[in-house]
Amino acid sequence: MAGFLNANDVEHEFMMELQAHQYGIKTFTAPRALCDQHLRVESQLTLLKGEVIGVQLDKRGYVMTSTSAEHLTKYLNQPFETFTGMLVTISSEFQQAMHGNLQAKLAALAHSQGEPSALDPS
């Protein structure tokens, strides 16, 4: 987070990550700065399977701070360098969604270049 100057920068970064990963998240709240910490923001996410988690972005990275699911408690307060890394670790449904999203993008790219693709079922 060395490049962040203020909480608005951190909120913007977190929002960009949330939007980029919409295919693998049911819902999320807009990140908001925590009053007690200058460069710490949080959001609530609902994962594809329905688990609700609290996530903070701070100087340590992305950290799950709360969860509605017992099986995810082992990841509480564990920092992840990337948002993707955290989601891949905690959600097999996210992994599947990410794989499907990547396949669709690759098929679209191959189709736009007029190349037949093994990824394109047509």
Side-chain angles (χ1 to χ4, degrees), residues 4 11 16 37 46-47 49-50 58 63 68 78 88-89 94 97-99 101 107 115 120:
F4 296 126
E11 285 176 350
M16 297 295 291
Q37 296 292 323
T46 302
L47 302 176
K49 199 171 174 182
D58 63 23
V63 179
S68 65
Q78 176 182 336
V88 165
T89 300
F94 176 81
M98 185 174 75
H99 179 75
N101 187 54
E115 298 176 16
D120 189 358

Side-chain angles (χ1 to χ4, degrees), residues 21-77:
H21 292 84
Q22 284 186 27
Y23 59 84
I25 302 170
K26 262 188 189 179
T27 63
F28 61 86
T29 62
R32 62 180 177 83
L34 297 173
C35 296
D36 63 331
Q37 296 292 323
H38 182 62
L39 292 178
R40 188 169 77 169
V41 298
E42 70 177 355
S43 177
Q44 296 291 312
L45 287 66
T46 302
L47 302 176
L48 293 176
K49 199 171 174 182
E51 303 100 327
V52 177
I53 63 171
V55 178
Q56 291 182 1
L57 173 59
D58 63 23
K59 64 183 177 185
R60 298 177 297 158
Y62 292 90
V63 179
M64 184 172 57
T65 57
S66 64
T67 180
S68 65
E70 183 67 31
H71 70 278
L72 294 178
T73 58
K74 63 185 171 187
Y75 301 111
L76 285 172
N77 300 311

Side-chain angles (χ1 to χ4, degrees), residues 69-108:
E70 183 67 31
H71 70 278
L72 294 178
T73 58
K74 63 185 171 187
Y75 301 111
L76 285 172
N77 300 311
Q78 176 182 336
F80 291 87
E81 187 172 328
T82 66
F83 190 58
T84 302
M86 183 188 72
L87 292 173
V88 165
T89 300
I90 66 172
S91 173
S92 59
E93 293 79 17
F94 176 81
Q95 291 176 25
Q96 293 169 350
M98 185 174 75
H99 179 75
N101 187 54
L102 180 57
Q103 276 191 314
K105 286 180 178 181
L106 290 172

Side-chain angles (χ1 to χ4, degrees), residues 109-116:
L109 179 61
H111 181 73
S112 73
Q113 295 179 352
E115 298 176 16

